[in-house]
Amino acid sequence: MTRENCKAKLAVVRLKTGKFVITVFVEEHSHPLSTPRRVHLLRSHRSVSEAKKSLTLQFSAANVPTHQQISIIEFEARGIENIGCTKKDIYNHETKVRNELKGQDAELLKEYFLTEQEKDPCFFFKIDVDDDGKLKHCFWADLVSRRAYGCFGDVVVFDTTYNTNQYGMILASLVGVNNHGQMMLFACAFLSDEKTESFVWLFELLKDNMPTNNPKMIITDQDPAMKKAIVQSLPNTFHRYCSWYILEKFSTYLNAITYRDFYKDFQQCIWELECPEEFERKWVTTIEKANLDNNDWLKSIFELRSRWVLAYVNHIFSARMSSS
């Protein structure tokens, strides 16, 4: 109004009797009025209502991205002009909520776990903090996961995913399969790093708080810190390297043409051959055909073949799992 020097005004006064009286009314505007479809863009007409705030909070708890939240709200209101605010207002509100929660996340996580434990006494969790009180490690498993581990925890695939969250922590999952070949989640953990000490912390909790003996086999990638932790905490467990991770690295250590022409041959070595002699013969033949005799990475992984989960390794129960 100031920029347009508009004198339009409406003043309302509340009397002692409780009635409202209009005391000033200037109708004339010095500028064209906004159309009904653009009124929602005016700052005076925009606000994120309490209902919208509550709804976005529930969406965020269900990991619905903000742009999808806006699409749902727009569909419900039958048009963006009927929401009562703009997309930017909703983004700003979500940013404000995140900033208010910053520094309290670990405490909120603990409160959530305690609530789950009240509902389910078999729910187990452990939180480890550093000297500054900052979240360092976190481990949890609910009743369903612990029961599944008790029945099907003979073979465990241990996988770590890094840098997929705003905290830069490592999500470590322990999974297996049931008697129908369906994936089962046994436990999860957040780790602040991939050091041997962190993996030992996790494996010791797994040993002491899950309803069965140590797994007979654990399948991981080739992380050396993980290998040391398994030797230390699970000395009687067969440790095997995930074949899927090995195959994934072929695209890194082979040039594009060689990868295109010979990847299926290497894949056949791992998945289809049923005895070590066949595997070694096929491997050597493929190396010669592809002129890869000087590839140091292929040499190094071939030397570790006794640790792979290969098709012909059937003297150790692996629940038919060869990768994550």
Side-chain angles (χ1 to χ4, degrees):
M1 290 175 68
T2 303
R3 291 182 219 164
E4 297 287 342
N5 195 28
C6 182
K7 304 298 182 182
K9 185 178 181 181
L10 174 67
V12 181
V13 175
R14 184 178 182 180
L15 304 178
K16 293 182 179 179
T17 58
K19 293 183 178 181
F20 292 89
V21 176
I22 298 174
T23 57
V24 178
F25 177 57
V26 180
E27 185 177 2
E28 292 77 16
H29 292 267
S30 61
H31 57 86
L33 298 181
S34 295
T35 63
R37 291 184 62 83
R38 295 183 60 83
V39 167
H40 70 284
L41 299 174
L42 299 175
R43 184 176 297 177
S44 59
H45 288 63
R46 284 165 30 205
S47 65
V48 183
S49 67
E50 292 302 318
K52 295 289 188 300
K53 290 178 182 178
S54 176
L55 189 59
T56 57
L57 186 63
Q58 293 177 55
F59 281 144
S60 297
N63 292 323
V64 179
T66 305
H67 70 277
Q68 290 186 10
Q69 297 180 27
I70 295 170
S71 298
I72 295 170
I73 293 172
E74 181 181 349
F75 177 79
E76 183 186 40
R78 297 185 180 181
I80 190 70
E81 68 276 6
N82 300 321
I83 292 178
C85 59
T86 64
K87 295 179 180 180
K88 186 176 180 180
D89 294 328
I90 294 178
Y91 275 106
N92 289 341
H93 169 68
E94 295 234 318
T95 301
K96 180 182 176 182
V97 170
R98 283 196 296 270
N99 290 336
E100 290 174 351
L101 293 176
K102 192 173 291 184
Q104 305 177 46
D105 306 54
E107 192 61 36
L108 290 172
L109 179 64
K110 183 179 179 180
E111 289 179 8
Y112 172 77
F113 283 159
L114 288 171
T115 302
E116 290 299 304
Q117 206 169 51
E118 287 180 6
K119 295 188 291 186
D120 173 15
C122 291
F123 180 90
F124 173 80
F125 76 94
K126 179 74 173 179
I127 293 178
D128 185 31
V129 297
D130 59 19
D131 295 336
D132 298 324
K134 185 179 178 181
L135 179 65
K136 189 177 179 182
H137 306 312
C138 176
F139 175 93
W140 71 96
D142 62 13
L143 172 63
V144 175
S145 296
R146 297 181 75 196
R147 184 180 293 163
Y149 184 82
C151 297
F152 307 108
D154 290 340
V155 182
V156 174
V157 175
F158 181 56
D159 187 34
T160 55
T161 306
Y162 176 67
N163 211 22
T164 57
N165 54 77
Q166 60 181 309
Y167 307 100
M169 297 192 78
I170 296 150
L171 174 63
S173 59
L174 296 118
V175 301
V177 295
N178 62 16
N179 55 314
H180 299 291
Q182 298 167 325
M183 181 177 287
M184 306 290 291
L185 179 64
F186 296 144
C188 283
F190 280 123
L191 305 175
S192 58
D193 55 56
E194 290 186 285
K195 295 179 180 178
T196 300
E197 294 77 12
S198 298
F199 293 131
V200 167
W201 179 87
L202 190 155
F203 293 142
E204 291 298 325
L205 284 173
L206 187 74
K207 281 168 36 178
D208 297 340
N209 298 282
M210 298 298 274
T212 189
N213 297 323
N214 299 341
K216 293 180 174 63
M217 177 185 285
I218 186 165
I219 302 171
T220 73
D221 60 18
Q222 293 171 265
D223 188 293
M226 205 179 290
K227 178 183 175 181
K228 290 179 182 177
I230 292 170
V231 170
Q232 182 175 332
S233 296
L234 303 169
N236 298 318
T237 298
F238 287 102
H239 180 202
R240 292 293 179 265
Y241 293 140
C242 171
S243 300
W244 183 85
Y245 279 117
I246 294 171
L247 284 168
E248 279 289 291
K249 291 180 180 178
F250 273 75
S251 60
T252 302
Y253 291 98
L254 302 183
N255 66 59
I257 302 299
T258 305
Y259 177 80
R260 181 196 66 191
D261 293 341
F262 295 98
Y263 175 74
K264 287 186 177 179
D265 292 310
F266 287 114
Q267 194 177 39
Q268 184 185 29
C269 287
I270 294 175
W271 298 136
E272 298 178 23
L273 303 185
E274 298 183 353
C275 72
E277 291 79 17
E278 283 186 20
F279 167 79
E280 292 178 11
R281 187 165 52 250
K282 176 70 174 178
W283 182 274
V284 171
T285 301
T286 304
I287 292 290
E288 291 175 353
K289 285 169 56 181
N291 294 318
L292 293 170
D293 302 85
N294 297 321
N295 189 301
D296 293 333
W297 178 76
L298 287 173
K299 289 179 182 178
S300 66
I301 62 166
F302 184 69
E303 290 173 359
L304 296 172
R305 62 190 181 281
S306 62
R307 287 189 169 274
W308 300 8
V309 184
L310 297 165
Y312 67 77
V313 180
N314 52 24
H315 62 286
I316 304 170
F317 177 69
S318 64
R320 296 192 173 184
M321 287 196 294
S322 54
S323 73
S324 55

